[in-house]
Amino acid sequence: MKPYIYLRALKHAEHTVFGVQDGQKTYYDAQFGQYCAYSSGQQVKRSILEEFTSNLNVPMAPVTFNYNITKDKQLENKEPWSPCDPNYIDQLIGGWMRAGDGITVKRRSPLSISAMRPLHPLLSGTVKENLTFDRSNRPDNNPVNVRMAGSDKLLTEEEIETYLTTNSRTLPRRNWIPDNRRAQGLFVYDVAIDLRTLFSVSTNQHEPELSKEKIEELETKGWIDGENTFGKCLIMPKVEREKVIPALANALLNWRITSNQARTFSLMETLAVAISGNASTLTGAIRAKLIDDGDKPKAKPIIDETAGAELFITLPCSGYVATVNESVDALIKAEEKLVEMMRSFNYENQQQTK
């Protein structure tokens, strides 16, 4: 009974932005001298949880934002509070932490999620482009305000016209937005699912995940007393797990970046998915190979069905990688595989006796 499921997925991005920082978040790869676009693990996790709760048609847990008013009447940000309540399914799967309001409670997410980053630095890239915010075709509907530097007083229309005539200038309804990065290429993300804690919450009160009151509430709702490798716990009832598992499997494969840190739409189609109980097999199943081509090295994407992981290859993959067994229902089969692996784990009897 393997306690982990490991997943790697390969995506293709086309001239898009999926994490804003100077147009697109990047890091520098020193070996190949490339700036590589990426999406943080936090952003990927947030996108997965949004797809997950959408599949179940339930709201995400509310977050309380806290502020203090200082002695000089300024607003001071304090730590936001989550409800720390597994009745909210995104809390159970995403984890929580709450400090500064009585006893500190925290739960580590059963999902470990990597950043989405290039399959290889030479198989992705960023480009820069200049954008415009342009309303010059309808000047009458888009007024212009002009102030003298250091003043809040608006110039009158007559004063504006005098300035333009005297200085041979115009006032176009157009703003230039220079040096915007766009990302493109082949990207991967990895997920590890800890089945031991996926549907279990610890009842240990030395380093609590839950308050005593919340433990009592869950017990009245049918959560089952159990034990995993970390100690005593409460386990979500099977009837509830059966609803959650298909929605989670779907979200892990079909999420899309929806946060306000993403723009310039790309389908970011999934090309291949590797699933295994052994993390080491994922890197061999979906990888890149460096090719020595004179002074300029190149990288070749490889999908390897002999590396030990179970592979699911979609039709678009053949446009970017040499493949043999791509199929129209690859993502459906990958989802079914995840559901099967999550359902087969014995959540109620994790501790095996000799």
Side-chain angles (χ1 to χ4, degrees):
M1 186 168 61
K2 293 184 177 180
Y4 283 98
I5 300 173
Y6 298 98
L7 159 73
R8 167 169 284 194
L10 176 67
K11 282 181 171 285
H12 171 250
E14 188 75 46
H15 196 72
T16 187
V17 179
F18 44 78
V20 176
Q21 176 182 301
D22 188 27
Q24 165 65 54
K25 287 190 291 190
T26 60
Y27 66 89
Y28 183 71
D29 185 276
Q31 182 176 357
F32 294 96
Q34 294 277 87
Y35 281 97
C36 300
Y38 74 99
S39 176
S40 69
Q42 182 181 15
Q43 187 180 27
V44 174
K45 179 182 177 182
R46 173 74 179 185
S47 300
I48 289 172
L49 291 177
E50 286 187 347
E51 185 69 17
F52 175 47
T53 53
S54 177
N55 288 343
L56 290 170
N57 195 28
V58 296
M60 297 188 79
V63 174
T64 301
F65 289 89
N66 295 303
Y67 295 88
N68 280 353
I69 299 178
T70 63
K71 291 181 179 179
D72 57 355
K73 306 301 181 183
Q74 299 298 311
L75 282 176
E76 178 186 24
N77 275 327
K78 305 298 288 184
E79 183 179 350
W81 287 345
S82 66
C84 304
D85 185 351
N87 289 304
Y88 291 102
I89 196 61
D90 62 305
Q91 292 264 283
L92 179 68
I93 301 302
W96 61 67
M97 181 172 179
R98 182 167 177 171
D101 179 38
I103 190 169
T104 297
V105 292
K106 58 183 177 180
R107 167 176 166 79
R108 184 184 296 275
S109 171
L111 304 185
S112 296
I113 301 173
S114 76
M116 185 174 68
R117 73 281 180 200
L119 176 63
H120 189 281
L122 299 179
L123 292 173
S124 71
T126 61
V127 296
K128 285 188 175 183
E129 64 179 0
N130 292 332
L131 307 179
T132 61
F133 182 81
D134 192 349
R135 297 294 183 270
S136 58
N137 61 324
R138 303 183 68 183
D140 291 340
N141 288 356
N142 299 280
V144 171
N145 290 334
V146 180
R147 294 178 176 85
M148 296 298 292
S151 171
D152 291 333
K153 181 179 179 298
L154 291 174
L155 270 62
T156 65
E157 189 66 29
E158 291 77 11
E159 289 172 325
I160 293 174
E161 291 179 3
T162 299
Y163 169 82
L164 296 177
T165 302
T166 303
N167 294 277
S168 300
R169 298 292 301 274
T170 62
L171 278 178
R173 275 72 169 168
R174 183 188 305 115
N175 277 11
W176 291 100
I177 310 172
D179 294 338
N180 277 261
R181 288 183 184 269
R182 297 288 182 266
Q184 56 193 19
L186 301 180
F187 296 84
V188 289
Y189 68 94
D190 301 312
V191 180
I193 307 172
D194 187 344
L195 296 171
R196 300 169 300 176
T197 60
L198 183 61
F199 296 113
S200 304
V201 289
S202 173
T203 56
N204 172 27
Q205 290 298 291
H206 292 177
E207 292 184 280
E209 289 188 4
L210 298 168
S211 66
K212 290 182 179 180
E213 293 76 17
K214 186 58 64 176
I215 291 172
E216 293 173 0
E217 178 189 331
L218 293 176
E219 288 175 336
T220 62
K221 290 186 174 181
W223 284 59
I224 304 161
D225 287 316
E227 186 174 357
N228 58 22
T229 190
F230 306 105
K232 301 293 184 180
C233 60
L234 286 177
I235 303 162
M236 174 182 270
K238 183 176 180 180
V239 65
E240 297 299 323
R241 299 200 304 264
E242 288 299 302
K243 299 174 186 176
V244 171
I245 286 173
L248 179 58
N250 181 276
L252 288 167
L253 299 174
N254 297 297
W255 62 272
R256 59 201 185 282
I257 293 177
T258 56
S259 76
N260 59 6
Q261 293 188 7
R263 60 173 184 253
T264 310
F265 179 70
S266 168
L267 284 173
M268 293 187 66
E269 63 272 26
T270 300
L271 305 183
V273 176
I275 299 173
S276 177
N278 182 349
S280 300
T281 61
L282 296 185
T283 55
I286 299 176
R287 67 181 192 272
K289 183 175 182 178
L290 192 63
I291 301 172
D292 189 0
D293 189 17
D295 295 333
K296 190 174 182 181
K298 296 181 180 179
K300 176 183 178 182
I302 294 175
I303 305 295
D304 190 344
E305 298 186 65
T306 68
E310 193 161 348
L311 268 166
F312 305 87
I313 307 167
T314 68
L315 296 181
C317 188
S318 59
Y320 307 96
V321 188
T323 61
V324 177
N325 295 322
E326 64 270 19
S327 65
V328 68
D329 59 350
L331 289 181
I332 295 174
K333 289 182 176 178
E335 188 175 326
E336 290 172 349
K337 179 63 177 179
L338 286 175
V339 169
E340 175 193 336
M341 294 177 77
M342 283 189 277
R343 281 179 172 163
S344 64
F345 189 76
N346 192 342
Y347 298 98
E348 285 88 354
N349 299 289
Q350 296 188 38
Q351 294 296 91
Q352 299 296 315
T353 57
K354 293 183 180 181

